[in-house]
């Protein structure tokens, strides 16, 4: 099991965090996703044999919130 922390900007409310969480949770290989509005961060645990960090980051990018790299 691997974990990645993704810094995200543009989230302003609980709806935003729920949208990011739901999007990431639906990815095959993701086991948990916790999104913090306060920290502007998503912490994702995943199975590296099923999904890559890059695929997770791309999914967050597709939510139209900015990933800080």
């Amino acid at each position: 099991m691997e974990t990645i922390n993704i810094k995200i900007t543009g989230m302003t409310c609980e709806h935003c965090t729920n949208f990011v969480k739901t999007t990431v949770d639906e990815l095959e290989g993701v086991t948990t996703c916790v999104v913090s509005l306060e920290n502007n961060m998503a912490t994702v645990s995943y199975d590296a044999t099923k999904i890559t960090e890059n695929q997770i980051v791309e999914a967050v990018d597709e939510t139209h919130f900015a990933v800080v790299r």
Side-chain angles (χ1 to χ4, degrees):
M1 198 65 54
E2 302 287 330
T3 301
I4 182 176
N5 291 311
I6 304 169
K7 184 79 172 168
I8 306 168
T9 61
M11 297 185 300
T12 59
C13 64
E14 188 176 321
H15 175 73
C16 298
T17 59
N18 287 339
F19 181 54
V20 172
K21 178 176 173 33
T22 300
T23 299
V24 174
D25 276 340
E26 291 177 350
L27 299 172
E28 183 179 349
V30 170
T31 54
T32 62
C33 177
V34 177
V35 182
S36 169
L37 181 60
E38 181 179 312
N39 297 324
N40 293 312
M41 181 85 58
T43 302
V44 183
S45 296
Y46 63 98
D47 181 344
T49 65
K50 295 183 179 179
I51 192 167
T52 66
E53 284 186 12
N54 193 48
Q55 289 171 308
I56 296 168
V57 170
E58 286 176 6
V60 174
D61 274 337
E62 291 175 6
T63 64
H64 302 290
F65 297 107
V67 173
V68 179
R69 298 178 190 212

